Amino acid sequence: MSTFGAAAANHNPNKSFEVLQPPSDSVSSLSFSPKANILVATSWDNQQVRCWEISRNGTAVASTPKASITHDQPVLCSTWKDDGTTVFSGGCDKQVKMWPLLSGGQPMTVAMHDAPIKEVAWIPEMNLLVTGSWDKTLKYWDTRQPNPVHTQQLPDRCYALTVKYPLMVVGTADRNLIVFNLQNPQTEYKRVVSPLKYQTRCVAAFPDQQGFLVGSIEGRVGVHHLDDGQQNKNFTFKCHRDGSEIYSVNSLNFHPIHHTFATAGSDGAFNFWDKDSKQRLKAMSRCSQPIPCSTFNNDGSIFAYSVFVMTGVRVLKITTHQQQRPTFSCTCLRNLKLKASHELEQVVESEGCFWLEND
């Protein structure tokens, strides 16, 4: 088993900003409001869902704890309603709670399964909540009604879910990837065997709904297009590895503006990539503990990630430039000022970035 050795002495090598009053146990999900810099985290400690308001003043980032609610057992997932007023959270108590956060209302149960709920997503185009569970079902809920409007059987336990309407992709045990067209949600659009050899950990739909990313426990990400005519564009690449040590890819997030993406893994690292040019844009320094989850805020200016167990939740300021390609900075990194694409190529090369492996 790998150890972090001397790296453990520096649990925040990227000088990211740590939130106040973080959870005391592992964070299972992070979710930013689609309307404001309000961050919600679910965790295993006291079965809590916590909320912070994240503010920026120049290069500084600060957090203000706002509120919290509890479940009866550990909480595994969270999402926001599209108007930014309400949070949904689900977990090992087999229920989803709807929390009217902005109005200060009390949480109420709006969904139930026969086993822990691993994934939850709000679909604004349908005004429905979708939940994925280890009971091998996917359920759609109108939160005004006690029963699901539809229950979809899955081939195995739900491990991951991503929605970019009308595309939804569900990753289950046994490497199944189930694709749905939400314009016809009661029928599978396509079933794909993962291009990766081992257990699926995370999925992320392309912003243009033409495909998805899939990450697994083997330190590899697959880029998959749905159109049969674009299968020659599919590839996989290795990441979150250190010599012979291989780490799980735990989180995949597309930047909401530039459509590059971030990976976070059990090696304690998070990296930024461009799938179209097949490049890693930035490799951040490794933290001393695994990173189980991460997310961007609604305009992509803040990247939030959690570090396993002891060190809570952090936020990293992200700067952008006029060519609509992202650069990344925190207090320990220089702020890259790029004016043309050829300058980006020079910086990418000088910063140690590389072409992805197509194997």
mmCIF file with all atom_site columns, all heavy atoms in Angstrom, residues 274-294:
data_model
loop_
_atom_site.group_PDB
_atom_site.id
_atom_site.type_symbol
_atom_site.label_atom_id
_atom_site.label_alt_id
_atom_site.label_comp_id
_atom_site.label_asym_id
_atom_site.label_entity_id
_atom_site.label_seq_id
_atom_site.pdbx_PDB_ins_code
_atom_site.Cartn_x
_atom_site.Cartn_y
_atom_site.Cartn_z
_atom_site.occupancy
_atom_site.B_iso_or_equiv
_atom_site.pdbx_formal_charge
_atom_site.auth_seq_id
_atom_site.auth_comp_id
_atom_site.auth_asym_id
_atom_site.auth_atom_id
_atom_site.pdbx_PDB_model_num
ATOM 1   N N   . ASP A 1 274 ? -7.894  19.249 -21.317 1.00 0.00 ? 274 ASP A N   1
ATOM 2   C CA  . ASP A 1 274 ? -8.662  19.630 -22.507 1.00 0.00 ? 274 ASP A CA  1
ATOM 3   C C   . ASP A 1 274 ? -8.804  18.380 -23.362 1.00 0.00 ? 274 ASP A C   1
ATOM 4   O O   . ASP A 1 274 ? -7.829  17.891 -23.926 1.00 0.00 ? 274 ASP A O   1
ATOM 5   C CB  . ASP A 1 274 ? -7.918  20.731 -23.281 1.00 0.00 ? 274 ASP A CB  1
ATOM 6   C CG  . ASP A 1 274 ? -8.741  21.270 -24.443 1.00 0.00 ? 274 ASP A CG  1
ATOM 7   O OD1 . ASP A 1 274 ? -9.573  20.523 -24.988 1.00 0.00 ? 274 ASP A OD1 1
ATOM 8   O OD2 . ASP A 1 274 ? -8.531  22.436 -24.824 1.00 0.00 ? 274 ASP A OD2 1
ATOM 9   N N   . LYS A 1 275 ? -10.032 17.845 -23.445 1.00 0.00 ? 275 LYS A N   1
ATOM 10  C CA  . LYS A 1 275 ? -10.230 16.597 -24.179 1.00 0.00 ? 275 LYS A CA  1
ATOM 11  C C   . LYS A 1 275 ? -10.090 16.781 -25.677 1.00 0.00 ? 275 LYS A C   1
ATOM 12  O O   . LYS A 1 275 ? -9.707  15.847 -26.394 1.00 0.00 ? 275 LYS A O   1
ATOM 13  C CB  . LYS A 1 275 ? -11.597 15.990 -23.865 1.00 0.00 ? 275 LYS A CB  1
ATOM 14  C CG  . LYS A 1 275 ? -12.786 16.765 -24.416 1.00 0.00 ? 275 LYS A CG  1
ATOM 15  C CD  . LYS A 1 275 ? -14.089 16.035 -24.152 1.00 0.00 ? 275 LYS A CD  1
ATOM 16  C CE  . LYS A 1 275 ? -15.287 16.831 -24.666 1.00 0.00 ? 275 LYS A CE  1
ATOM 17  N NZ  . LYS A 1 275 ? -15.251 17.019 -26.125 1.00 0.00 ? 275 LYS A NZ  1
ATOM 18  N N   . ASP A 1 276 ? -10.403 17.986 -26.196 1.00 0.00 ? 276 ASP A N   1
ATOM 19  C CA  . ASP A 1 276 ? -10.372 18.195 -27.639 1.00 0.00 ? 276 ASP A CA  1
ATOM 20  C C   . ASP A 1 276 ? -8.943  18.259 -28.177 1.00 0.00 ? 276 ASP A C   1
ATOM 21  O O   . ASP A 1 276 ? -8.657  17.742 -29.252 1.00 0.00 ? 276 ASP A O   1
ATOM 22  C CB  . ASP A 1 276 ? -11.140 19.467 -28.010 1.00 0.00 ? 276 ASP A CB  1
ATOM 23  C CG  . ASP A 1 276 ? -12.616 19.364 -27.647 1.00 0.00 ? 276 ASP A CG  1
ATOM 24  O OD1 . ASP A 1 276 ? -13.180 18.249 -27.788 1.00 0.00 ? 276 ASP A OD1 1
ATOM 25  O OD2 . ASP A 1 276 ? -13.205 20.359 -27.219 1.00 0.00 ? 276 ASP A OD2 1
ATOM 26  N N   . SER A 1 277 ? -8.059  18.898 -27.426 1.00 0.00 ? 277 SER A N   1
ATOM 27  C CA  . SER A 1 277 ? -6.660  18.944 -27.846 1.00 0.00 ? 277 SER A CA  1
ATOM 28  C C   . SER A 1 277 ? -5.837  17.825 -27.206 1.00 0.00 ? 277 SER A C   1
ATOM 29  O O   . SER A 1 277 ? -4.644  17.711 -27.462 1.00 0.00 ? 277 SER A O   1
ATOM 30  C CB  . SER A 1 277 ? -6.039  20.299 -27.482 1.00 0.00 ? 277 SER A CB  1
ATOM 31  O OG  . SER A 1 277 ? -6.006  20.477 -26.073 1.00 0.00 ? 277 SER A OG  1
ATOM 32  N N   . LYS A 1 278 ? -6.486  17.012 -26.370 1.00 0.00 ? 278 LYS A N   1
ATOM 33  C CA  . LYS A 1 278 ? -5.825  15.883 -25.699 1.00 0.00 ? 278 LYS A CA  1
ATOM 34  C C   . LYS A 1 278 ? -4.601  16.347 -24.905 1.00 0.00 ? 278 LYS A C   1
ATOM 35  O O   . LYS A 1 278 ? -3.518  15.786 -25.025 1.00 0.00 ? 278 LYS A O   1
ATOM 36  C CB  . LYS A 1 278 ? -5.437  14.809 -26.714 1.00 0.00 ? 278 LYS A CB  1
ATOM 37  C CG  . LYS A 1 278 ? -6.616  14.205 -27.451 1.00 0.00 ? 278 LYS A CG  1
ATOM 38  C CD  . LYS A 1 278 ? -6.170  13.092 -28.385 1.00 0.00 ? 278 LYS A CD  1
ATOM 39  C CE  . LYS A 1 278 ? -7.363  12.483 -29.102 1.00 0.00 ? 278 LYS A CE  1
ATOM 40  N NZ  . LYS A 1 278 ? -6.940  11.397 -30.024 1.00 0.00 ? 278 LYS A NZ  1
ATOM 41  N N   . GLN A 1 279 ? -4.816  17.360 -24.084 1.00 0.00 ? 279 GLN A N   1
ATOM 42  C CA  . GLN A 1 279 ? -3.718  17.894 -23.280 1.00 0.00 ? 279 GLN A CA  1
ATOM 43  C C   . GLN A 1 279 ? -4.119  18.027 -21.819 1.00 0.00 ? 279 GLN A C   1
ATOM 44  O O   . GLN A 1 279 ? -5.280  18.292 -21.508 1.00 0.00 ? 279 GLN A O   1
ATOM 45  C CB  . GLN A 1 279 ? -3.289  19.281 -23.784 1.00 0.00 ? 279 GLN A CB  1
ATOM 46  C CG  . GLN A 1 279 ? -2.501  19.258 -25.075 1.00 0.00 ? 279 GLN A CG  1
ATOM 47  C CD  . GLN A 1 279 ? -2.083  20.656 -25.476 1.00 0.00 ? 279 GLN A CD  1
ATOM 48  O OE1 . GLN A 1 279 ? -2.852  21.601 -25.298 1.00 0.00 ? 279 GLN A OE1 1
ATOM 49  N NE2 . GLN A 1 279 ? -0.896  20.792 -25.993 1.00 0.00 ? 279 GLN A NE2 1
ATOM 50  N N   . ARG A 1 280 ? -3.134  17.871 -20.970 1.00 0.00 ? 280 ARG A N   1
ATOM 51  C CA  . ARG A 1 280 ? -3.301  18.282 -19.578 1.00 0.00 ? 280 ARG A CA  1
ATOM 52  C C   . ARG A 1 280 ? -2.882  19.733 -19.495 1.00 0.00 ? 280 ARG A C   1
ATOM 53  O O   . ARG A 1 280 ? -1.748  20.088 -19.829 1.00 0.00 ? 280 ARG A O   1
ATOM 54  C CB  . ARG A 1 280 ? -2.450  17.424 -18.645 1.00 0.00 ? 280 ARG A CB  1
ATOM 55  C CG  . ARG A 1 280 ? -2.680  17.754 -17.169 1.00 0.00 ? 280 ARG A CG  1
ATOM 56  C CD  . ARG A 1 280 ? -1.982  16.793 -16.239 1.00 0.00 ? 280 ARG A CD  1
ATOM 57  N NE  . ARG A 1 280 ? -0.527  16.900 -16.322 1.00 0.00 ? 280 ARG A NE  1
ATOM 58  C CZ  . ARG A 1 280 ? 0.311   16.141 -15.603 1.00 0.00 ? 280 ARG A CZ  1
ATOM 59  N NH1 . ARG A 1 280 ? -0.175  15.216 -14.792 1.00 0.00 ? 280 ARG A NH1 1
ATOM 60  N NH2 . ARG A 1 280 ? 1.604   16.290 -15.724 1.00 0.00 ? 280 ARG A NH2 1
ATOM 61  N N   . LEU A 1 281 ? -3.781  20.591 -19.016 1.00 0.00 ? 281 LEU A N   1
ATOM 62  C CA  . LEU A 1 281 ? -3.506  22.019 -18.942 1.00 0.00 ? 281 LEU A CA  1
ATOM 63  C C   . LEU A 1 281 ? -2.727  22.393 -17.691 1.00 0.00 ? 281 LEU A C   1
ATOM 64  O O   . LEU A 1 281 ? -1.894  23.292 -17.722 1.00 0.00 ? 281 LEU A O   1
ATOM 65  C CB  . LEU A 1 281 ? -4.818  22.807 -18.976 1.00 0.00 ? 281 LEU A CB  1
ATOM 66  C CG  . LEU A 1 281 ? -5.670  22.631 -20.231 1.00 0.00 ? 281 LEU A CG  1
ATOM 67  C CD1 . LEU A 1 281 ? -6.983  23.376 -20.069 1.00 0.00 ? 281 LEU A CD1 1
ATOM 68  C CD2 . LEU A 1 281 ? -4.923  23.110 -21.465 1.00 0.00 ? 281 LEU A CD2 1
ATOM 69  N N   . LYS A 1 282 ? -3.019  21.703 -16.594 1.00 0.00 ? 282 LYS A N   1
ATOM 70  C CA  . LYS A 1 282 ? -2.347  22.046 -15.346 1.00 0.00 ? 282 LYS A CA  1
ATOM 71  C C   . LYS A 1 282 ? -2.381  20.854 -14.404 1.00 0.00 ? 282 LYS A C   1
ATOM 72  O O   . LYS A 1 282 ? -3.421  20.221 -14.227 1.00 0.00 ? 282 LYS A O   1
ATOM 73  C CB  . LYS A 1 282 ? -3.029  23.251 -14.667 1.00 0.00 ? 282 LYS A CB  1
ATOM 74  C CG  . LYS A 1 282 ? -2.236  23.812 -13.500 1.00 0.00 ? 282 LYS A CG  1
ATOM 75  C CD  . LYS A 1 282 ? -0.950  24.458 -13.958 1.00 0.00 ? 282 LYS A CD  1
ATOM 76  C CE  . LYS A 1 282 ? -0.082  24.897 -12.818 1.00 0.00 ? 282 LYS A CE  1
ATOM 77  N NZ  . LYS A 1 282 ? 1.204   25.438 -13.280 1.00 0.00 ? 282 LYS A NZ  1
ATOM 78  N N   . ALA A 1 283 ? -1.240  20.539 -13.820 1.00 0.00 ? 283 ALA A N   1
ATOM 79  C CA  . ALA A 1 283 ? -1.151  19.510 -12.784 1.00 0.00 ? 283 ALA A CA  1
ATOM 80  C C   . ALA A 1 283 ? -0.853  20.199 -11.465 1.00 0.00 ? 283 ALA A C   1
ATOM 81  O O   . ALA A 1 283 ? 0.177   20.858 -11.327 1.00 0.00 ? 283 ALA A O   1
ATOM 82  C CB  . ALA A 1 283 ? -0.056  18.503 -13.130 1.00 0.00 ? 283 ALA A CB  1
ATOM 83  N N   . MET A 1 284 ? -1.745  20.078 -10.502 1.00 0.00 ? 284 MET A N   1
ATOM 84  C CA  . MET A 1 284 ? -1.564  20.711 -9.211  1.00 0.00 ? 284 MET A CA  1
ATOM 85  C C   . MET A 1 284 ? -0.751  19.797 -8.301  1.00 0.00 ? 284 MET A C   1
ATOM 86  O O   . MET A 1 284 ? -0.650  18.586 -8.507  1.00 0.00 ? 284 MET A O   1
ATOM 87  C CB  . MET A 1 284 ? -2.921  21.021 -8.577  1.00 0.00 ? 284 MET A CB  1
ATOM 88  C CG  . MET A 1 284 ? -3.870  21.774 -9.499  1.00 0.00 ? 284 MET A CG  1
ATOM 89  S SD  . MET A 1 284 ? -3.230  23.362 -10.081 1.00 0.00 ? 284 MET A SD  1
ATOM 90  C CE  . MET A 1 284 ? -3.355  24.326 -8.578  1.00 0.00 ? 284 MET A CE  1
ATOM 91  N N   . SER A 1 285 ? -0.168  20.381 -7.261  1.00 0.00 ? 285 SER A N   1
ATOM 92  C CA  . SER A 1 285 ? 0.624   19.607 -6.305  1.00 0.00 ? 285 SER A CA  1
ATOM 93  C C   . SER A 1 285 ? -0.271  18.652 -5.517  1.00 0.00 ? 285 SER A C   1
ATOM 94  O O   . SER A 1 285 ? -1.432  18.959 -5.218  1.00 0.00 ? 285 SER A O   1
ATOM 95  C CB  . SER A 1 285 ? 1.346   20.548 -5.347  1.00 0.00 ? 285 SER A CB  1
ATOM 96  O OG  . SER A 1 285 ? 2.239   21.390 -6.049  1.00 0.00 ? 285 SER A OG  1
ATOM 97  N N   . ARG A 1 286 ? 0.281   17.520 -5.175  1.00 0.00 ? 286 ARG A N   1
ATOM 98  C CA  . ARG A 1 286 ? -0.482  16.506 -4.458  1.00 0.00 ? 286 ARG A CA  1
ATOM 99  C C   . ARG A 1 286 ? -0.702  16.889 -3.008  1.00 0.00 ? 286 ARG A C   1
ATOM 100 O O   . ARG A 1 286 ? 0.215   17.323 -2.311  1.00 0.00 ? 286 ARG A O   1
ATOM 101 C CB  . ARG A 1 286 ? 0.237   15.163 -4.526  1.00 0.00 ? 286 ARG A CB  1
ATOM 102 C CG  . ARG A 1 286 ? 0.181   14.490 -5.860  1.00 0.00 ? 286 ARG A CG  1
ATOM 103 C CD  . ARG A 1 286 ? 1.034   13.234 -5.880  1.00 0.00 ? 286 ARG A CD  1
ATOM 104 N NE  . ARG A 1 286 ? 0.615   12.270 -4.885  1.00 0.00 ? 286 ARG A NE  1
ATOM 105 C CZ  . ARG A 1 286 ? 1.223   11.115 -4.687  1.00 0.00 ? 286 ARG A CZ  1
ATOM 106 N NH1 . ARG A 1 286 ? 2.299   10.805 -5.395  1.00 0.00 ? 286 ARG A NH1 1
ATOM 107 N NH2 . ARG A 1 286 ? 0.787   10.270 -3.759  1.00 0.00 ? 286 ARG A NH2 1
ATOM 108 N N   . CYS A 1 287 ? -1.935  16.704 -2.559  1.00 0.00 ? 287 CYS A N   1
ATOM 109 C CA  . CYS A 1 287 ? -2.241  16.846 -1.133  1.00 0.00 ? 287 CYS A CA  1
ATOM 110 C C   . CYS A 1 287 ? -1.826  15.557 -0.419  1.00 0.00 ? 287 CYS A C   1
ATOM 111 O O   . CYS A 1 287 ? -1.536  14.543 -1.053  1.00 0.00 ? 287 CYS A O   1
ATOM 112 C CB  . CYS A 1 287 ? -3.728  17.109 -0.933  1.00 0.00 ? 287 CYS A CB  1
ATOM 113 S SG  . CYS A 1 287 ? -4.337  18.599 -1.748  1.00 0.00 ? 287 CYS A SG  1
ATOM 114 N N   . SER A 1 288 ? -1.825  15.605 0.880   1.00 0.00 ? 288 SER A N   1
ATOM 115 C CA  . SER A 1 288 ? -1.341  14.467 1.656   1.00 0.00 ? 288 SER A CA  1
ATOM 116 C C   . SER A 1 288 ? -2.394  13.388 1.855   1.00 0.00 ? 288 SER A C   1
ATOM 117 O O   . SER A 1 288 ? -2.098  12.330 2.407   1.00 0.00 ? 288 SER A O   1
ATOM 118 C CB  . SER A 1 288 ? -0.845  14.945 3.020   1.00 0.00 ? 288 SER A CB  1
ATOM 119 O OG  . SER A 1 288 ? -1.886  15.620 3.705   1.00 0.00 ? 288 SER A OG  1
ATOM 120 N N   . GLN A 1 289 ? -3.638  13.641 1.422   1.00 0.00 ? 289 GLN A N   1
ATOM 121 C CA  . GLN A 1 289 ? -4.704  12.661 1.560   1.00 0.00 ? 289 GLN A CA  1
ATOM 122 C C   . GLN A 1 289 ? -5.524  12.622 0.272   1.00 0.00 ? 289 GLN A C   1
ATOM 123 O O   . GLN A 1 289 ? -5.517  13.574 -0.518  1.00 0.00 ? 289 GLN A O   1
ATOM 124 C CB  . GLN A 1 289 ? -5.611  13.015 2.744   1.00 0.00 ? 289 GLN A CB  1
ATOM 125 C CG  . GLN A 1 289 ? -4.921  13.008 4.099   1.00 0.00 ? 289 GLN A CG  1
ATOM 126 C CD  . GLN A 1 289 ? -4.529  11.615 4.544   1.00 0.00 ? 289 GLN A CD  1
ATOM 127 O OE1 . GLN A 1 289 ? -5.104  10.634 4.105   1.00 0.00 ? 289 GLN A OE1 1
ATOM 128 N NE2 . GLN A 1 289 ? -3.538  11.517 5.420   1.00 0.00 ? 289 GLN A NE2 1
ATOM 129 N N   . PRO A 1 290 ? -6.261  11.538 0.021   1.00 0.00 ? 290 PRO A N   1
ATOM 130 C CA  . PRO A 1 290 ? -7.089  11.432 -1.182  1.00 0.00 ? 290 PRO A CA  1
ATOM 131 C C   . PRO A 1 290 ? -8.134  12.541 -1.284  1.00 0.00 ? 290 PRO A C   1
ATOM 132 O O   . PRO A 1 290 ? -8.577  13.093 -0.278  1.00 0.00 ? 290 PRO A O   1
ATOM 133 C CB  . PRO A 1 290 ? -7.769  10.057 -1.012  1.00 0.00 ? 290 PRO A CB  1
ATOM 134 C CG  . PRO A 1 290 ? -6.850  9.290  -0.128  1.00 0.00 ? 290 PRO A CG  1
ATOM 135 C CD  . PRO A 1 290 ? -6.269  10.304 0.828   1.00 0.00 ? 290 PRO A CD  1
ATOM 136 N N   . ILE A 1 291 ? -8.524  12.847 -2.525  1.00 0.00 ? 291 ILE A N   1
ATOM 137 C CA  . ILE A 1 291 ? -9.581  13.817 -2.801  1.00 0.00 ? 291 ILE A CA  1
ATOM 138 C C   . ILE A 1 291 ? -10.809 13.045 -3.281  1.00 0.00 ? 291 ILE A C   1
ATOM 139 O O   . ILE A 1 291 ? -10.823 12.520 -4.395  1.00 0.00 ? 291 ILE A O   1
ATOM 140 C CB  . ILE A 1 291 ? -9.142  14.839 -3.869  1.00 0.00 ? 291 ILE A CB  1
ATOM 141 C CG1 . ILE A 1 291 ? -7.922  15.622 -3.361  1.00 0.00 ? 291 ILE A CG1 1
ATOM 142 C CG2 . ILE A 1 291 ? -10.288 15.781 -4.225  1.00 0.00 ? 291 ILE A CG2 1
ATOM 143 C CD1 . ILE A 1 291 ? -7.359  16.600 -4.372  1.00 0.00 ? 291 ILE A CD1 1
ATOM 144 N N   . PRO A 1 292 ? -11.846 12.950 -2.466  1.00 0.00 ? 292 PRO A N   1
ATOM 145 C CA  . PRO A 1 292 ? -13.020 12.153 -2.857  1.00 0.00 ? 292 PRO A CA  1
ATOM 146 C C   . PRO A 1 292 ? -14.003 12.861 -3.772  1.00 0.00 ? 292 PRO A C   1
ATOM 147 O O   . PRO A 1 292 ? -14.751 12.199 -4.489  1.00 0.00 ? 292 PRO A O   1
ATOM 148 C CB  . PRO A 1 292 ? -13.674 11.819 -1.515  1.00 0.00 ? 292 PRO A CB  1
ATOM 149 C CG  . PRO A 1 292 ? -13.246 12.907 -0.598  1.00 0.00 ? 292 PRO A CG  1
ATOM 150 C CD  . PRO A 1 292 ? -11.882 13.336 -1.048  1.00 0.00 ? 292 PRO A CD  1
ATOM 151 N N   . CYS A 1 293 ? -14.043 14.212 -3.769  1.00 0.00 ? 293 CYS A N   1
ATOM 152 C CA  . CYS A 1 293 ? -15.031 14.899 -4.591  1.00 0.00 ? 293 CYS A CA  1
ATOM 153 C C   . CYS A 1 293 ? -14.602 16.336 -4.864  1.00 0.00 ? 293 CYS A C   1
ATOM 154 O O   . CYS A 1 293 ? -13.756 16.893 -4.145  1.00 0.00 ? 293 CYS A O   1
ATOM 155 C CB  . CYS A 1 293 ? -16.414 14.877 -3.936  1.00 0.00 ? 293 CYS A CB  1
ATOM 156 S SG  . CYS A 1 293 ? -16.450 15.454 -2.229  1.00 0.00 ? 293 CYS A SG  1
ATOM 157 N N   . SER A 1 294 ? -15.192 16.926 -5.905  1.00 0.00 ? 294 SER A N   1
ATOM 158 C CA  . SER A 1 294 ? -14.842 18.293 -6.307  1.00 0.00 ? 294 SER A CA  1
ATOM 159 C C   . SER A 1 294 ? -15.956 18.862 -7.158  1.00 0.00 ? 294 SER A C   1
ATOM 160 O O   . SER A 1 294 ? -16.823 18.128 -7.653  1.00 0.00 ? 294 SER A O   1
ATOM 161 C CB  . SER A 1 294 ? -13.520 18.302 -7.083  1.00 0.00 ? 294 SER A CB  1
ATOM 162 O OG  . SER A 1 294 ? -13.628 17.504 -8.259  1.00 0.00 ? 294 SER A OG  1
#
